[in-house]
Amino acid sequence: MAGFIGRLGRTPGAGLVITLIVFYALIGGDAVNGLVIDEASPLVAAVMAGVFGTIPLVLLAERSALIRRGRRRLLRELNAGTLINRMAVSNTFVIPLTLLSLQRLEALGTVVALMWTGPLAVAIWKMVTDSPRRLSGLLWLPLATPGMLLVTRPWEGHADLLGVLFALGAAACYGNFLLTYDRLGEALGDRVNVAIAESMMRSTAALAALSAIVITASAALGRTVPGITPGPDWFSWRVVGLTFLSGLLTGFVAQVGQNLIFGRRLMKAATFSVLTAVEPTVALTLDWVVLGHSPTRLDAIGAILVTAAGAGCFYQLEVGGKPLAPLVTWSRRRAAAVMAVLRRRDRGGKGDLSA
């Protein structure tokens, strides 16, 4: 496994491929979760998916080291308690803030567009502070921004100041999540999976406790809170099965992919932040292929703009302006290896015939 990961880190474009897998896992998990929000509530479904996604992360982190004796010593060795807590806070509050914003604005596109200001701020910050050469990557943001707006169409939502503030709070959590992930990957390298598993344990426990308090209090007062209070038959095999699948996609597959991206430094945080604009386009493709909903002309134009901006930013920041030199070198090596194998086979065939 270690050898495979090492080869993966040397393969050109591996970071981009894994990023797309992460986005499809995140959006696909959310789509699966959306199938049960009428029986459970969005908050309860999110908590259940978080629990199911955290369990395999914890079990696989250095052979279940976080649930064995010596956990405190392990965390002291990592020396990343502040960063772990920062990520846990972001993971705890991003879902409630998103749900509260969606409840008031009543348009998912508006919420998504406002939340993208978090990754956008991270991209600008990393490009400005890391290296003057990366400032040229800012030129792709004016292309990604209108593409994002065309896909999400925030003007279809209601103007509500509190809803906007909730969405901006979720954006701050998202931006802090990306910044903290990048710093954990830089500090811990391959051991970032342990820190992420610990952070997910803390945030899932906190969100579950917070949800239980709110649901219990609302039930005691005889009130039903939209988006929070579950239905009477929420604990069924269908809900458990679908939230389990959602948790594996969003909490496990996506996190493992991001561990590779940030832990193995397969992609810069600025590039990943800009590429998050592709998430609505990923949702459009899943909606089209799985549910049969045809995208509109605005959707298609926005998807093209966002994809072009993501590809341009990746080329500018990851390839560094060199005309696909890593890909050309890798392709030549692979072609030489294939030709060597073919020549050996030809020699072997001639020997058999002469015999």
Side-chain angles (χ1 to χ4, degrees), residues 285-298:
T285 59
L286 286 176
D287 199 28
W288 182 22
V289 174
V290 178
L291 301 179
H293 296 163
S294 300
T296 64
R297 184 176 299 177
L298 289 179

Side-chain angles (χ1 to χ4, degrees), residues 13-58:
L16 181 60
V17 173
I18 295 175
T19 298
L20 292 176
I21 293 174
V22 167
F23 290 161
Y24 272 100
L26 289 172
I27 302 300
D30 290 341
V32 171
N33 225 3
L35 298 175
V36 298
I37 59 175
D38 290 334
E39 300 165 55
S41 67
L43 182 60
V44 170
V47 171
M48 293 177 67
V51 171
F52 289 133
T54 301
I55 291 173
L57 279 179
V58 173

Side-chain angles (χ1 to χ4, degrees), residues 62-335:
E62 294 194 3
R63 300 180 181 179
S64 309
L66 291 175
I67 57 177
R68 298 202 310 262
R69 296 179 64 179
R71 171 172 170 267
R72 292 183 179 180
R73 184 177 68 253
L74 173 61
L75 294 176
R76 282 197 301 268
E77 290 176 4
L78 296 178
N79 193 26
T82 302
L83 293 176
I84 290 174
N85 287 329
R86 272 181 51 182
M87 179 167 282
V89 169
S90 294
N91 286 334
T92 301
F93 289 103
V94 67
I95 293 177
L97 288 172
T98 302
L99 293 175
L100 289 171
S101 174
L102 185 59
Q103 181 182 357
R104 299 190 69 92
L105 296 177
E106 299 181 357
L108 181 60
T110 307
V111 176
V112 170
L114 289 172
M115 284 186 64
W116 190 59
T117 58
L120 180 63
V122 172
I124 295 174
W125 171 258
K126 296 296 288 185
M127 290 180 195
V128 170
T129 58
D130 281 5
S131 171
R133 182 182 64 80
R134 297 185 187 173
L135 288 174
S136 57
L138 293 172
L139 298 175
W140 297 104
L141 295 179
L143 191 63
T145 302
M148 165 69 80
L149 294 177
L150 287 175
V151 172
T152 58
R153 291 190 284 280
W155 54 83
E156 295 180 357
H158 298 289
D160 182 88
L161 179 60
L162 191 57
V164 170
L165 291 177
F166 284 142
L168 292 177
C173 291
Y174 196 2
N176 179 63
F177 170 85
L178 293 175
L179 274 177
T180 308
Y181 219 137
D182 182 56
R183 293 180 181 176
L184 281 171
E186 185 178 358
L188 302 179
D190 291 339
R191 302 192 76 188
V192 69
N193 61 330
V194 181
I196 296 303
E198 174 66 22
S199 175
M200 290 290 291
M201 271 204 306
R202 296 180 185 183
S203 61
T204 302
L207 183 58
L210 182 63
S211 302
I213 292 172
V214 173
I215 292 172
T216 303
S218 61
L221 296 174
R223 299 184 60 184
T224 299
V225 183
I228 296 178
T229 305
D233 301 322
W234 66 273
F235 196 70
S236 63
W237 284 112
R238 180 175 182 273
V239 173
V240 171
L242 289 176
T243 53
F244 175 75
L245 177 58
S246 174
L248 287 182
L249 290 172
T250 59
F252 179 63
V253 175
Q255 292 297 338
V256 169
Q258 290 176 102
N259 287 345
L260 288 172
I261 291 170
F262 292 105
R264 304 288 300 186
R265 317 306 290 171
L266 298 180
M267 182 179 291
K268 299 177 180 65
T271 312
F272 187 87
S273 299
V274 174
L275 287 175
T276 56
V278 180
E279 289 187 24
T281 304
V282 171
L284 279 177
T285 59
L286 286 176
D287 199 28
W288 182 22
V289 174
V290 178
L291 301 179
H293 296 163
S294 300
T296 64
R297 184 176 299 177
L298 289 179
D299 292 332
I301 296 173
I304 292 172
L305 291 176
V306 167
T307 303
C313 184
F314 177 82
Y315 176 76
Q316 189 73 37
L317 298 182
E318 301 298 324
V319 181
K322 298 178 182 179
L324 303 179
L327 183 59
V328 171
T329 302
W330 181 79
S331 301
R332 287 176 177 172
R333 289 176 178 174
R334 301 302 299 174

